[in-house]
Amino acid sequence: MPPIRALPALALACVTAVAGARDPGVKLPDIGSSAAAIASPQELQDYGAAMLHELRAYELVLEDPLLEDYIRALGYRLVASSDRPDLPYTFFIMRSEDINAFAAPGGYVAVNAGLMTAMDSEDELAGVLAHEISHVQQQHILRGIEDQQKMSLPIMLGMLGVMIAAAGRNDDAAPAVLISGTSLMQQRAINFTRSEEAEADRVGIQILARAGFDPNAMAGAFQALQRVMRVNGIDIPEFLLTHPLDTRRIAEARERAAQLGCPTTPAVVARPAPAAGGGGLDLNLRAGTQVASAVPVSPKPGSCAPRQGDGGYYELMRERVRVLSAPSAPSIRGYYADNLRDNPGFDTPATRYGHALALIRTHQAADAVKELQPLVAAQPNSVPLRLALAKAEDQAGQHAAALAGYERLNRDFPGNRAVVLGYADALLAQGGDAGARRALELLRPQVDRHGDDPDLQATFGRASQLAGDSVRAAEAYAEAAWLNGRAEDALAQLKALAKRDDLSYYQRSRIEARITRLTAVVLDQRKRGDPAPDAP
Ligand SMILES: [Zn+2]
């Protein structure tokens, strides 16, 4: 196993906080409370989005369409079973190896890569998400802000983003505001109370059970965290030493789960499914070709039986997170190569997939192709496996095979963002007008649906440029800059664009509307004194 890094002293590791109080029942927050008066829902959304953009500016967000779609599908499934399915949520993955998850204003819920790889099952990951969703639903974040009367909401949220960003950095270049001593943890602004933690556990277990997950998984997640803490021994931060994750919290989670029982209708998290008539069988029907789990599938003591027939999708995603978040490509390749050589129990389709992804990262594409071909043959409807094969073929110089693979994927899974982005990248790398036009055709509906995806905007910009539409290209690049936390850059780019005298009426009004919107964002940022970097 790769060494597990120390838990960060700054991290808001609320999932590892101890639960103390025993509040009876679940009380929903009073919508008309003063907490709601602190900021409008739109303001909370704007601040949450600004935080996400800022985290991207520090390259702390793991941006990968397959993983994004996965964590969103899992999160939305839980939200649908919460008491407030109407609240807006945005789920994303942080690149950090630290074991952490957090919820921020506006329903922004982050899970660290390190937490995802520390979980033994999808149900445990769902347990952590359900806990964070409960903090949002019960308005714990707003209550924290309410307590913090000295600091205005915008300033505090600006700092929150920076604090979280700094927690994931290993260098000493943390912005000066961090060292000034006004630590959010010291101020206890977003630090949840023990009774809030207990409430989030309790509400979270109910959400888990209602969504068809194993309610025991909350305790399972705590135990996995406890195991990691034990491994880290000396590195436990003071916060955890004073509020250890004690056996009582785990026991309480087990008791509640026992009252709820095992799910009668197991959770089915949305996976990419082939288009009707588009080719192939339903993933779930191919029982003989399922990808085995990387961990023993027998249930943990006190857990419900594992779900059947989900094709090992979670295990694939867990290895994907492990590879994409690893700081060093050669060492993650070594991790798979060494374990596959020395440890027979390690060898599963999911770890083979991880090995192939690591080989792609180290540009050993021909070996990756060899690793992936039998996996795809065994599971011909797996989007992650087929995408990896097409990417490896492209990197190995087998461009025709790669493009044919992408074309088949696009036919079988129309509208899949990961497929479109992979295909468009391959087309644009080939150069030429025809490829650029085909890429544009594929990307346009995606940009309409996922306008807040900076990678998609950047790829759309590149395609527009190659296809000769320099105005649309400049607009898309500006959009990508904004979404990546560089609002000042984006505004400057749009203002330069507006000076062109060959714009159509529609182009000009669209650009001017965007300038008005971004001007408001930039002014607000200046007011907050955001120390976000101006350049990538
Ligand atoms: Zn918590």
Side-chain angles (χ1 to χ4, degrees):
M1 292 288 288
I4 296 157
R5 287 232 324 276
L7 292 156
L10 280 176
L12 312 177
C14 77
V15 291
T16 55
V18 69
R22 290 167 184 269
D23 303 351
V26 173
K27 43 184 194 310
L28 272 177
D30 172 13
I31 306 298
S33 77
S34 60
I38 289 175
S40 71
Q42 184 57 50
E43 281 173 321
L44 292 176
Q45 277 275 295
D46 287 350
Y47 289 127
M51 180 200 68
L52 176 57
H53 297 172
E54 201 166 310
L55 293 174
R56 283 194 190 122
Y58 288 104
E59 294 180 4
L60 288 166
V61 179
L62 184 51
E63 294 186 79
D64 174 72
L66 275 178
L67 287 172
E68 280 166 4
D69 285 349
Y70 172 71
I71 201 74
R72 286 176 194 171
L74 187 59
Y76 294 151
R77 177 166 179 92
L78 293 161
V79 168
S81 296
S82 73
D83 286 336
R84 293 293 309 275
D86 56 309
L87 292 176
Y89 282 91
T90 303
F91 298 93
F92 60 101
I93 301 171
M94 298 275 285
R95 202 174 270 285
S96 170
E97 285 182 296
D98 298 324
I99 316 279
N100 198 12
F102 66 88
Y108 282 76
V109 174
V111 184
N112 279 4
L115 187 131
M116 285 185 72
T117 52
M119 296 292 105
D120 286 334
S121 68
E122 184 167 63
D123 294 67
E124 288 180 4
L125 178 58
V128 172
L129 283 177
H131 175 99
E132 298 302 329
I133 288 167
S134 306
H135 278 311
V136 175
Q137 178 192 290
Q138 302 300 110
Q139 298 199 355
H140 294 161
I141 299 155
L142 287 178
R143 278 185 220 156
I145 292 167
E146 202 174 18
D147 291 347
Q148 189 58 39
Q149 286 168 348
K150 272 178 266 170
M151 212 185 279
S152 78
L153 177 68
I155 291 171
M156 210 203 67
L157 290 175
M159 284 179 59
L160 173 66
V162 176
M163 299 283 299
I164 294 163
R169 285 164 76 108
N170 298 318
D171 56 18
D172 296 326
V177 63
L178 283 175
I179 312 154
S180 71
T182 329
S183 146
L184 276 186
M185 286 300 278
Q186 286 164 2
Q187 304 268 347
R188 294 181 54 81
I190 294 283
N191 193 4
F192 301 122
T193 64
R194 297 172 123 212
S195 72
E196 283 169 343
E197 288 301 336
E199 190 176 59
D201 285 354
R202 195 168 59 240
V203 176
I205 289 172
Q206 285 184 357
I207 293 175
L208 263 188
R210 274 191 234 149
F213 290 98
D214 178 359
N216 296 288
M218 187 74 84
F222 293 154
Q223 280 174 317
L225 294 172
Q226 204 177 40
R227 200 174 54 221
V228 173
M229 283 160 57
R230 221 174 276 137
V231 171
N232 273 330
I234 52 166
D235 290 324
I236 295 176
E238 191 171 347
F239 179 64
L240 294 178
L241 287 174
T242 49
H243 299 86
L245 175 62
D246 63 8
T247 46
R248 190 177 56 180
R249 183 171 179 184
I250 297 173
E252 279 181 357
R254 284 249 176 265
E255 264 169 49
R256 288 183 197 286
Q259 287 161 17
L260 290 163
C262 287
T264 47
T265 319
V268 179
V269 181
R271 320 289 196 205
L281 298 160
D282 186 326
L283 240 177
N284 296 343
L285 298 178
R286 300 187 61 86
T289 58
Q290 278 172 23
V291 175
S293 168
V295 292
V297 288
S298 55
K300 280 185 176 180
S303 295
C304 302
R307 285 196 304 286
Q308 296 298 313
D310 88 336
Y313 201 87
Y314 163 72
E315 283 75 16
L316 291 180
M317 291 300 102
R318 188 172 52 189
E319 297 314 312
R320 188 170 182 85
V321 166
R322 201 190 305 279
V323 175
L324 298 191
S325 67
S328 154
S331 31
I332 193 67
R333 184 187 47 73
Y335 160 79
Y336 285 104
D338 294 351
N339 279 301
L340 284 169
R341 187 190 58 225
D342 302 334
N343 181 358
F346 184 84
D347 191 347
T348 68
T351 55
R352 290 275 168 193
Y353 171 67
H355 185 219
L357 294 180
L359 288 166
I360 292 172
R361 270 196 70 180
T362 53
H363 300 281
Q364 291 165 279
D367 291 336
V369 170
K370 265 185 250 159
E371 188 74 288
L372 287 161
Q373 274 166 342
L375 298 178
V376 170
Q379 202 168 338
N381 279 321
S382 168
V383 170
L385 294 176
R386 280 169 63 180
L387 267 179
L389 179 59
K391 185 166 185 177
E393 285 170 340
D394 202 29
Q395 202 185 73
Q398 305 168 24
H399 301 305
L403 288 179
Y406 281 124
E407 186 57 46
R408 280 193 304 273
L409 269 165
N410 186 58
R411 185 198 61 208
D412 293 348
F413 303 91
N416 181 293
R417 184 164 57 121
V419 168
V420 166
L421 265 173
Y423 193 7
D425 275 339
L427 284 166
L428 296 175
Q430 310 276 298
D433 277 359
R437 277 198 303 273
R438 175 82 178 114
L440 261 189
E441 187 182 287
L442 292 163
L443 290 165
R444 209 172 274 123
Q446 292 291 320
V447 171
D448 291 342
R449 277 173 55 199
H450 307 283
D452 60 349
D453 175 349
D455 282 350
L456 191 58
Q457 291 286 359
T459 310
F460 187 60
R462 220 150 28 100
S464 301
Q465 197 166 32
L466 284 170
D469 187 347
S470 61
V471 173
R472 203 68 192 80
E475 287 183 80
Y477 286 141
E479 207 63 25
W482 177 54
L483 294 166
N484 279 323
R486 294 183 286 114
E488 300 254 10
D489 270 9
L491 191 57
Q493 287 174 33
L494 288 171
K495 281 180 174 168
L497 186 60
K499 290 205 178 96
R500 281 174 60 149
D501 51 15
D502 59 343
L503 298 177
S504 72
Y505 172 77
Y506 291 105
Q507 284 172 329
R508 188 171 296 284
S509 28
R510 201 167 60 206
I511 292 162
E512 278 169 2
R514 213 65 196 126
I515 288 176
T516 307
R517 169 86 176 106
L518 287 198
T519 302
V521 171
V522 165
L523 288 178
D524 190 56
Q525 275 189 358
R526 287 186 189 152
K527 204 167 67 190
R528 280 197 274 154
D530 268 5
D534 336 290

